[in-house]
Amino acid sequence: MNRCMRITCAVADSEVGLHTFVQRYAKKFELEGVVQSLSDTRVRVVVCGTQDAIEDFVDALHHGVVEHVVSALEIEPFLKDRDYRGVFRVIE
């Protein structure tokens, strides 16, 4: 069964490296969705896929965010609001 999660990260450093990290692991776990910089120092990630793939993605994110100086990480269930067409995109 597919589900979606919305993850918001507060980034103290440049988020460009975080975008690349997030996209790489989303593809690795065959997730679809988007990563987007918000108007402040936060980055929002929406991922959709199987429960196991999302859990693996979140674990990788928890371990990998240390190098990107993430000061806060909020994870919440999310109702899919659009068709991501099976891919993961970076929105600038």
Side-chain angles (χ1 to χ4, degrees):
M1 179 177 182
N2 283 352
R3 59 184 303 177
C4 297
M5 300 296 277
R6 178 172 45 210
I7 304 164
T8 305
C9 308
V11 183
D13 201 0
S14 172
E15 73 278 352
V16 174
L18 184 60
H19 286 173
T20 303
F21 176 86
V22 166
Q23 188 172 35
R24 181 175 354 126
Y25 278 91
K27 286 182 180 182
K28 176 181 179 178
F29 297 119
E30 298 179 354
L31 297 169
E32 62 179 12
V34 296
V35 59
Q36 177 180 20
S37 295
L38 302 177
S39 59
D40 51 12
T41 60
R42 297 179 304 147
V43 173
R44 177 169 295 143
V45 181
V46 174
V47 290
C48 300
T50 65
Q51 177 68 31
D52 290 340
I54 290 175
E55 287 176 5
D56 291 342
F57 174 79
V58 170
D59 286 345
L61 189 58
H62 273 289
H63 292 359
V65 295
V66 174
E67 69 186 67
H68 297 289
V69 193
V70 174
S71 58
L73 189 65
E74 299 172 13
I75 303 170
E76 59 188 346
F78 181 73
L79 293 175
K80 189 173 180 178
D81 62 347
R82 66 182 77 159
D83 182 10
Y84 296 107
R85 298 185 178 161
V87 298
F88 193 87
R89 292 179 175 83
V90 174
I91 299 175
E92 300 283 336

